[in-house]
Amino acid sequence: MKTIARVLLGLGFATAGVLHFTREPNFRKIVPHYLPFKKEIVYISGVMEIVMGIYLVFKKPSDCVKQLINLFLLGVFPANIYMARKELPLGDKQLRKSVLYGRLPLQFVLMKMIKSL
C-alpha cells in the first residue's frame, strides 16, 4: 500500500513540477509580493518538484529525503497563505475564500503522508 501511495505522490509532485513550466504565470501570481525573482522561483521550485516526484516514483525515500521534501513543502507554504489572503485564483478558477483557507491544512496532511512512506 505504501508503494502505491509513494508512486501517486511522486506522480503528483512531478505533474505539479511540469505545470510550473507550462503554466508559469499562474504560479508566479502566488509568489508573495515581497520576494524578488518570481519567475526564477517558480522554475526552481518546478525543477525541485519534478526531481522529488521522479525520486518517489522509483525509490523509497530515506528519512533524510523525507525531511528534505517536508522542508520544501514548508518553504512553499507561504505561497499558499498568500494565495488565500489575497484571494488569488487557482489557475483560471476563482475559489471561495473558505476553500482557499481550507486548502492550507492539506499541506500538513501531505507532510504527514511523506513522513509515513
Side-chain angles (χ1 to χ4, degrees):
M1 191 63 162
K2 283 187 179 183
T3 302
I4 294 170
R6 179 176 51 81
V7 170
L8 290 175
L9 283 167
L11 291 172
F13 273 111
T15 300
V18 169
L19 289 174
H20 279 67
F21 292 90
T22 60
R23 299 197 178 147
E24 179 271 329
N26 293 342
F27 285 91
R28 191 174 351 124
K29 289 177 189 170
I30 68 167
V31 176
H33 71 280
Y34 53 83
L35 292 175
F37 310 112
K38 291 174 181 19
K39 191 174 200 175
E40 291 81 1
I41 288 171
V42 170
Y43 287 148
I44 290 167
S45 59
V47 168
M48 292 173 74
E49 285 187 315
I50 291 168
V51 169
M52 290 184 295
I54 291 169
Y55 187 97
L56 289 173
V57 166
F58 292 105
K59 187 169 179 172
K60 183 179 189 277
S62 65
D63 287 341
C64 180
V65 170
K66 291 177 194 179
Q67 288 176 345
L68 290 172
I69 293 171
N70 281 341
L71 283 173
F72 172 84
L73 291 170
L74 275 178
V76 299
F77 190 60
N80 294 332
I81 294 170
Y82 185 75
M83 183 179 180
R85 289 185 65 227
K86 298 292 183 179
E87 298 184 44
L88 299 173
L90 181 63
D92 59 352
K93 296 185 193 278
Q94 184 60 55
L95 303 176
R96 291 189 329 264
K97 195 171 190 171
S98 60
V99 174
L100 288 168
Y101 278 97
R103 292 176 63 240
L104 297 177
L106 296 177
Q107 195 86 353
F108 298 98
V109 171
L110 189 56
M111 291 171 70
K112 186 170 176 80
M113 290 173 67
I114 293 294
K115 194 173 182 179
S116 72
L117 294 177

